Amino acid sequence: MYKMSAKPMITAAKIQDRVQEIATEINRTFDFDIILSTLTGAFMFTTDLVRFMANAKHRITFIKATSYGSGTESSGVLKVSGIDDIDIKGKRILLVDDILDTGKTMSTLTHMLKEAGAVDIRTCVLMNKEARRTVDFHADYVGFEIENQFVVGYGLDYDQDYRTLPDIWTLEET
Ligand code: 5GP
Ligand code: MG
């Protein structure tokens, strides 16, 4: 069994400040065509990010990438759907995910986008757990560096719960 930490690890206010900073940094450093966001975990981060970027020419599209079963450990097998419907050839893409853990999801997706003819790909994650990395992968834009803890809220789930919370919490085993 798991329970939520007594206090948020990152409050909604802190998240908003940092997302605004990242949006500004991306606007300043990367001119791109399409935002490709991974459902379901990155949905809240992505909507806040685009609001702060406020660029009418950015297109947005969503794919589903699932590696977790119902536990707190990745199953290691990545299921990707929706990527074939997107016109990727010749495009500059901002790939957005909620959290970088082993790195398998982002490195696999980046590889798939290159294969599909993307000309420039940069990656943006809200959180990075550097200690958990098993493949050599670094995101271009990172919101928060975090410890090796399982986090929920602000889009992230545990067995589909907690996603709609505005703050980020850690889950502790009871
Ligand atoms: P990776 O492929 O880098 O191992 O894992 C990335 C995916 O695993 C993320 O997109 C996210 O869906 C899930 N994940 C990794 N760490 C956490 C965590 O602490 N909490 C939640 N809810 N999901 C996580
Ligand atoms: Mg994910």
Side-chain angles (χ1 to χ4, degrees):
M1 285 291 286
Y2 291 91
K3 71 169 177 46
M4 267 163 72
S5 45
K7 283 190 306 188
M9 186 179 84
I10 313 172
T11 63
K14 269 213 178 121
I15 297 170
Q16 292 303 303
D17 288 352
R18 185 64 188 129
V19 174
Q20 183 162 22
E21 281 175 9
I22 302 169
T24 306
E25 190 188 341
I26 295 171
N27 272 345
R28 203 163 34 80
T29 53
F30 187 37
D31 190 18
F32 61 91
D33 308 298
I34 311 175
I35 296 161
L36 205 158
S37 165
T38 56
L39 294 173
T40 306
F43 87 94
M44 211 178 274
F45 175 42
T46 307
T47 54
D48 284 340
L49 193 62
V50 298
R51 254 190 291 236
F52 286 125
M53 291 197 286
N55 183 323
K57 291 290 176 191
H58 287 163
R59 303 205 170 166
I60 182 152
T61 152
F62 296 89
I63 59 166
K64 195 148 176 82
T66 331
S67 62
Y68 272 62
S70 55
T72 60
E73 280 293 320
S74 172
S75 67
V77 186
L78 189 70
K79 279 195 292 181
V80 180
S81 56
I83 205 161
D84 299 333
D85 310 330
I86 306 166
D87 183 19
I88 289 162
K89 203 169 167 57
K91 299 292 195 297
R92 299 163 300 177
I93 297 174
L94 180 70
L95 179 61
V96 179
D97 203 359
D98 48 4
I99 186 162
L100 196 50
D101 188 29
T102 64
K104 282 181 196 155
T105 305
M106 287 302 247
S107 72
T108 305
L109 290 176
T110 303
H111 185 75
M112 289 173 87
L113 294 174
K114 276 188 193 144
E115 293 273 284
V119 289
D120 199 353
I121 305 158
R122 296 205 198 162
T123 53
C124 173
V125 292
L126 179 68
M127 288 174 280
N128 179 38
K129 286 194 226 175
E130 191 68 30
R132 292 263 308 162
R133 202 61 38 81
T134 60
V135 297
D136 186 23
F137 186 88
H138 299 278
D140 299 295
Y141 306 97
V142 176
F144 300 97
E145 297 289 341
I146 66 165
E147 300 298 311
N148 180 16
Q149 283 169 309
F150 193 79
V151 291
V152 295
Y154 197 68
L156 291 97
D157 75 312
Y158 171 67
D159 206 6
Q160 302 305 328
D161 288 337
Y162 307 101
R163 286 196 199 278
T164 54
L165 299 176
D167 309 282
I168 293 170
W169 305 75
T170 58
L171 274 201
E172 289 154 7
E173 219 158 336
T174 56

